[in-house]
Amino acid sequence: MANRTPPRNAASDVSALTEKLGVFIDPELLDVALTHRSYAYEHGGITHNERLEFLGDSVLGLAVTITLFRENPDLSEGELAKRRAAVVSTVALAEVARQIGLGPFIRLGRGEVLTGGNDKSSILADTVEAIIGATYLAAGQQAATALVLRLLRPLLEDPERFGAAMDPKTSLQEALAGTGAPAPEYTILASGPDHQRVFDATVRAGDVVTGTGSGTSKKTAEMAAALDAWTQLTGRD
């Protein structure tokens, strides 16, 4: 991949992120992984992370599939597929991104910055996949698989979180019912042009909990908000 990213500087230092990832990725390649198309278009059409995202999606899927298959010999094909879908979902990957503090490192165009793009679930999840793709290119499949497992191991080892990641709205409602709290209420705000619409959701359950999330569809945004609220309510990190 030809590199056309601007030179690195102190403001773009990602050593703290590299330390959290636990793997060395060539700085120029990591820059690409962290570059959203909105930033690329504003800087002369430099290379952005969508090709790496495409690669990382495949590496992620294979790593999770093999791990689930090997570690769950008694699960049916249907249950394995359900768990895989939960682990690689936008909601789950965005949660992982927030846990490692990825948002501030993503390079975004001005419009995305103004609309809170550094915390949008879709952008966070896509960037995680791009980083996985960059790891594959920089260090090989074994290192990329190890990165996937480091990032997703808490989810893989928490059966309840499978359900929350797969259907966070139901999980939230069930958790609230156990506390006697009122039913959750969702509000949605849309922003951006029609061809690049972004939805921001807020879910409230009285004074008990408030969760927020975003996505490229109303459903995704509500799921992200529900998972945020469920995580707060259950005390899971």
Side-chain angles (χ1 to χ4, degrees), residues 196-226:
Q196 202 172 357
R197 208 72 164 155
V198 173
F199 298 89
D200 296 295
T202 300
V203 58
R204 291 185 176 87
D207 296 327
V208 177
V209 68
T210 298
T212 59
S214 63
T216 54
S217 69
K218 292 180 180 179
K219 179 180 179 181
T220 302
E222 288 183 348
M223 289 174 64

Side-chain angles (χ1 to χ4, degrees), residues 50-198:
E50 289 184 357
R51 282 175 54 84
L52 288 175
E53 175 196 338
F54 172 79
L55 175 62
D57 177 69
S58 294
V59 176
L60 168 67
L62 180 61
V64 170
T65 298
I66 292 174
T67 300
L68 288 173
F69 181 84
R70 288 177 172 171
E71 296 183 358
N72 300 276
D74 297 327
L75 291 184
S76 67
E77 183 272 341
E79 185 61 28
L80 288 170
K82 180 180 178 180
R83 292 197 175 194
R84 178 178 60 192
V87 175
V88 304
S89 69
T90 295
V91 171
L93 294 179
E95 182 186 3
V96 166
R98 294 186 181 101
Q99 288 175 347
I100 64 174
L102 179 60
F105 295 100
I106 303 173
R107 302 199 295 181
L108 299 169
R110 290 185 295 274
E112 287 291 355
V113 171
L114 291 173
T115 57
N118 291 97
D119 196 47
K120 289 178 181 175
S121 294
S122 55
I123 291 177
L124 290 170
D126 290 347
T127 306
V128 169
E129 291 181 337
I131 289 174
I132 294 169
T135 302
Y136 177 88
L137 293 180
Q141 184 169 354
Q142 185 174 350
T145 297
L147 173 62
V148 169
L149 296 183
R150 280 197 301 276
L151 294 176
L152 296 176
R153 180 53 69 184
L155 178 57
L156 289 166
E157 293 181 348
D158 187 348
E160 284 190 44
R161 193 175 282 271
F162 275 114
M166 191 66 183
D167 189 358
K169 296 180 71 173
T170 298
S171 295
L172 174 61
Q173 191 161 346
E174 291 174 348
L176 287 169
T179 67
E185 296 183 355
Y186 293 84
T187 57
I188 296 281
L189 292 176
S191 60
D194 290 342
H195 66 281
Q196 202 172 357
R197 208 72 164 155
V198 173

Side-chain angles (χ1 to χ4, degrees), residues 224-236:
L227 185 59
D228 179 41
W230 179 88
T231 301
Q232 296 177 49
L233 199 63
T234 59
R236 281 176 163 80

